[in-house]
Amino acid sequence: MRGKAKINHLIVHLILLAGTIIVVFPFLWMILTSFKTNGEAMQIPPTILPTEWVTDSYQEILTAIPFATVYMNTIISAVVTTAVQVAFCAMAAYAFARIEFPFKNIIFVLLLSVLMVPGQIFLIPQYLIVQKLGLLDTLPALMLPNLFSAFGTFLLRQFFMSLPKELEEAAVLDGCSRYQIFGKIMLPLVKPGIVALVIFTVKFAWNDFMWPMIVNTSTDKMILGPALATLQGQYTTQYPMQMAGAVLAVVPLVILFFIFQKQFIEGVAQSGIKG
């Protein structure tokens, strides 16, 4: 029995190792390609390690596009989108979980139905709205459609529903208003869910591609994804330069995850068991 358990243990670790290699290899390839020359990057058969390590791509990416401006646009878009979305989702989730009002369940089901609709369906209506507002090719245009999330509302609602009602009853007896109960008692208790939603939202806003590509056409008004896509030419593409830009773009997300990975994993795990 002990030998069989060791074999099973070994098989599980081999499967996990294979999965890790599959996930990590594209990132490793991206980093290695960023240190190659363009000729070597397009070489067939491809080489894994650069024959000559060069850093020209990292210098060229800073001048090929207004990288500092684009980077700042991405940071502003991600920060504003995350802050506003988390605030709106937290208030909506609290209302759906703890406040009784007419047609609450029907409205919540309609809200969740948005998750079943492909996001591409909303592109034309959103574009027309932004156009009527005169916000095309501006930073606010990047953020407006993403200031609320049905998924974020559902995620935080699961956490609010798990909290005992006695907390609110005791707070009411102490003279707390609804706003005080929400801000000072309930929000701190759903911190893992908020951290998970923050990471999800930052990742989405940071990597958003289709909507920013459609609504903003000036390079200095773009975020990283669409700006890097402009480096792809009709006849040739500077792959090392694109990979260098991608490396610089992914660094903040990796840092964010490693800082908050404990809260993120806890938040995602708890959201699946709270009912």
Side-chain angles (χ1 to χ4, degrees), residues 84-103:
V84 177
Q85 186 178 130
V86 170
F88 282 164
C89 289
M91 290 186 287
Y94 177 73
F96 281 120
R98 316 299 294 196
I99 300 175
E100 294 298 328
F101 55 89
F103 309 111

Side-chain angles (χ1 to χ4, degrees), residues 171 175-182:
C176 292
S177 66
R178 176 68 69 179
Y179 299 103
Q180 290 174 322
I181 294 173
F182 170 71

Side-chain angles (χ1 to χ4, degrees), residues 14-34:
L14 289 176
I15 294 174
L16 293 175
L17 179 61
T20 302
I21 293 174
I22 292 173
V23 172
V24 171
F25 183 76
F27 293 96
L28 183 62
W29 184 268
M30 175 181 70
I31 295 172
L32 293 176
T33 302
S34 70

Side-chain angles (χ1 to χ4, degrees), residues 131-146:
Q131 184 184 43
K132 293 294 184 181
L133 293 173
L135 295 176
L136 288 180
D137 212 19
T138 64
L139 286 182
L142 299 172
M143 303 174 251
L144 281 178
N146 302 320

Side-chain angles (χ1 to χ4, degrees), residues 96-114:
F96 281 120
R98 316 299 294 196
I99 300 175
E100 294 298 328
F101 55 89
F103 309 111
K104 180 177 76 170
N105 292 331
I106 295 176
I107 296 174
F108 185 68
V109 170
L110 291 175
L111 178 68
L112 290 183
S113 66
V114 175

Side-chain angles (χ1 to χ4, degrees), residues 65-76 139 219-223:
I65 58 175
F67 198 81
T69 302
V70 169
Y71 217 101
M72 184 56 63
N73 292 345
T74 310
I75 293 174
I76 293 173
L139 286 182
T219 307
D220 61 344
K221 295 296 191 300
M222 291 182 178
I223 60 176

